[in-house]
Amino acid sequence: MVSTATPMDHEKKAPSGMIGLLKRLFRMRETGLILIILALFVVMSFASPYFLTWVNMRAMAMAFAVEGIVVVGMTILLVSGGIDLSVGSVTALAMVIAGLLFLNGVDPWTASLISIAACTAIGAGMGFFVTRVGLHHFIVSLAVMVIARGACLLGTGGRPLGLFTLPPEFKFIGQGSIGVIPVVIVIFVVVVVGFDFMLRRTTLFRKVFYTGSNEKAAAYSGIRTKKVVFLTTTLCSALCGVAGIIYMARFGSAQPTFGIGMELNVIAAAVIGGASLSGGTGTIFGAILGAILLSVVSSSLALLDVSVYWQDIIRGSILLAAVSIDHYLNKRRG
């Protein structure tokens, strides 16, 4: 059958298609975040001559990159309907375990693998209490946050572990560069791209959305929801372990008090990026944009010589605003 559409018809349809695409783009949360970040870049380029320097850009990227790995795990967990308040403590514990093993003669690579395995086991333990015992993620992760921090202080006596004899090839993962790009950024990009693809495209990770949206309905449809929650809880702690090892290689030490307050930054980044505290929605790309936004805000406040106390107030206000918006959008969807 020959089409009767004229070139004029196609010209009329094309703009409407383009307008529809633009409307969809502007409705996306990620688009709004990108515009806000770009606006902050423009404003800060005039407010401070140091903002757009390579040194500051590199410092910002390093600041959010390793924490961004934890954001990936938190986002997936939030999508499944869970939450983890222990991420900062578990990240610190990863450093302490690997550091103590290294100081006792274990090579750093083996020590790191043991440490990541220990963090994975912590996540599995939390998953057990949530899925089998029936406790809420909030309570379980709060308890683990306190236990893990106590273990850090107990193992180190409350003092940082100096790991100055770490071999150069191990320090490379935290301090080295490939060309002008830090290895930390390369690892971060690989983790983000890999998990973002899996969350969007694979059947296994699509079950995370179904579980978070309506766990009972997902269970009735044949999805093993408890297994999904168990795996996402375990994955979040495992990624904390990876982040802890990178931090250890970057700073050449293990800090028992490291990561205090990290859970707030990570949750804020994920929620700002569109992850819902009620589960069922969220993207890793959006969460990383949230982490970038928080990093830009922190860098801007420091360059403008804003008091650290005000910085905490501002970050807390951003978190409150993000949660309020999330609550409002959930009410509208409900």
Side-chain angles (χ1 to χ4, degrees), residues 241-302:
V242 173
I245 296 306
I246 297 173
Y247 274 122
M248 185 180 79
R250 180 181 172 190
F251 297 118
S253 65
Q255 304 281 345
T257 57
F258 180 84
I260 294 175
M262 178 192 283
E263 61 280 349
L264 297 180
N265 287 338
V266 171
I267 293 171
V271 174
I272 290 169
S276 173
L277 294 176
S278 302
T281 60
T283 65
I284 289 174
F285 179 55
I288 295 306
L289 287 175
I292 293 172
L293 175 60
L294 291 175
S295 181
V296 172
V297 169
S298 294
S299 176
S300 301
L301 294 174

Side-chain angles (χ1 to χ4, degrees), residues 66 69-74 76-77 84 86-87 90-95 112-127 144 187 191 195 230-246:
V66 188
I69 294 174
V70 182
V71 171
V72 170
M74 181 67 80
I76 296 172
L77 182 56
D84 189 348
S86 70
V87 289
V90 172
T91 301
L93 186 60
M95 301 169 67
S112 298
L113 289 175
I114 293 172
S115 178
I116 294 171
C119 292
T120 304
I122 290 172
M126 286 194 289
V144 172
I187 297 171
V191 171
F195 280 103
F230 178 86
L231 290 176
T232 54
T233 306
T234 304
L235 175 64
C236 186
S237 292
L239 289 176
C240 288
V242 173
I245 296 306
I246 297 173

Side-chain angles (χ1 to χ4, degrees), residues 73 76-84 117 119-135 137 140 204-205 207-208 211-212 215 223-239:
I76 296 172
L77 182 56
L78 286 171
V79 172
S80 73
I83 194 169
D84 189 348
C119 292
T120 304
I122 290 172
M126 286 194 289
F128 172 81
F129 279 102
V130 171
T131 59
R132 298 299 179 187
V133 180
L135 301 180
H137 265 105
V140 174
L204 175 62
F205 277 88
K207 294 177 181 177
V208 174
T211 300
E215 188 171 348
I223 296 174
R224 298 173 63 184
T225 56
K226 290 187 182 299
K227 181 179 179 181
V228 171
V229 172
F230 178 86
L231 290 176
T232 54
T233 306
T234 304
L235 175 64
C236 186
S237 292
L239 289 176

